[in-house]
Amino acid sequence: MADTEGTAAPGERVVIKKYANRRLYNTASSSYVTLEHLSEMVKKNVDFVVYDAKTNEDITRSVLTQIIFEEESQGQSLLPIQFLRQLIGFYGNSMQAFLPSYLELSLASFTQQQERMRSQFSALGQAAPGVGVFDEQVRQNLALFDRAMKMFSPFAYAARPEEPAPAPKAEPAPAASDEALVALRKQMEEMQAQIEKLAGKR
C-alpha cells in the first residue's frame, strides 16, 4: 500500500478532508485516501481527524463508524449480535452518558492485559500466544460487561434466566513480574463485586 499516512509532526494529528463526492483527502500526504487506508492508519496508531470540507465539521466519529461497518460487512465479524442489540438499546437510555466511558475503560484494560501477556512471552523468547490463550480472560471481561449491563438496564434482562456463577478456580501464586497484572485483575474483581452489589439492590 502506498504511503498515505502523511508527514504530520510528532504529536500532531493528520487532517483528513471529506468532500461532497465522498472522497477523502489526506492534507499531510497531499493524496486521496480510502476507508481502508484510514483503517490501516488506526491500526498503526496514526492519530487523525476528519473534517467535512464544506462545513469544517468534525465527522471523525461517523467515519470511524463507517470503517467498522465496512469491516463487519466484509466478514470481519468482531461485534456479537447480542452486544449490538444491547448497544442500540442504550441510545436514549438514562444511562447513555455513562456507557462510553465504561466501554473505553474496558477496552483499554483488555488491551493492556493482552500487551502485557505478549511482552512476557516475548521476554521468554517464545512466539506470541494464539487466540486460545486469551479465552479465559475474554470470558472474564465479557462476564464483567454483562453484569454491568444488568446493573444499568435490569429490565432488559427480566426475561433472561440468571446464569449460575462459575465456581472459583485455584490459581498458582503469581510471580513478582506479574504484580501489575495481579493488581489490575484485583481491581476488576472489586469492580465486579461492586456491580453485583448494586445490581442486587435494584
Side-chain angles (χ1 to χ4, degrees):
M1 187 179 74
D3 181 14
T4 54
E5 294 175 11
T7 56
E12 292 185 6
R13 286 182 169 181
V14 174
V15 175
I16 308 293
K17 293 283 187 177
K18 185 174 183 180
Y19 291 90
N21 59 6
R22 303 185 68 178
R23 297 193 71 183
L24 299 164
Y25 185 77
N26 186 329
T27 61
S29 64
S30 299
S31 62
Y32 286 98
V33 295
T34 64
L35 290 177
E36 183 181 357
H37 293 140
L38 296 186
S39 178
E40 288 300 320
M41 290 170 66
V42 170
K43 295 173 183 178
K44 293 179 180 179
N45 295 319
V46 176
D47 192 14
F48 64 84
V49 61
V50 185
Y51 291 111
D52 184 293
K54 183 178 181 179
T55 65
N56 208 37
E57 176 188 1
D58 186 340
I59 57 173
T60 308
R61 184 190 302 273
S62 64
V63 171
L64 292 176
T65 303
Q66 189 177 355
I67 291 174
I68 293 175
F69 174 79
E70 291 292 332
E71 294 283 1
E72 290 285 327
S73 65
Q74 293 175 11
Q76 301 292 331
S77 300
L78 184 65
L79 303 175
I81 292 178
Q82 184 59 26
F83 171 81
L84 292 173
R85 293 182 187 278
Q86 293 173 354
L87 195 60
I88 292 172
F90 272 93
Y91 284 97
N93 187 288
S94 60
M95 301 301 292
Q96 176 179 337
F98 297 95
L99 187 59
S101 296
Y102 178 82
L103 291 177
E104 188 173 12
L105 177 62
S106 298
L107 282 176
S109 174
F110 180 81
T111 300
Q112 185 179 33
Q113 291 166 11
Q114 311 321 317
E115 288 301 321
R116 184 178 297 277
M117 291 182 69
R118 289 191 179 93
S119 297
Q120 291 174 345
F121 273 84
S122 177
L124 294 173
Q126 300 179 8
V131 177
V133 177
F134 301 126
D135 284 350
E136 181 59 31
Q137 189 60 56
V138 170
R139 282 194 290 269
Q140 292 178 12
N141 288 349
L142 289 179
L144 177 60
F145 178 78
D146 191 59
R147 287 183 174 87
M149 294 301 98
K150 291 177 182 178
M151 180 191 75
F152 290 146
S153 185
F155 298 107
Y157 288 81
R160 184 176 173 182
E162 194 71 29
E163 297 179 357
K169 297 181 180 180
E171 297 184 358
S177 60
D178 294 339
E179 290 181 358
L181 181 60
V182 171
L184 181 60
R185 182 174 296 173
K186 182 178 179 181
Q187 291 177 2
M188 291 185 66
E189 291 175 350
E190 292 175 350
M191 184 187 301
Q192 179 176 331
Q194 184 65 21
I195 288 174
E196 291 176 337
K197 181 179 179 181
L198 292 173
K201 294 181 178 180
R202 285 179 169 265

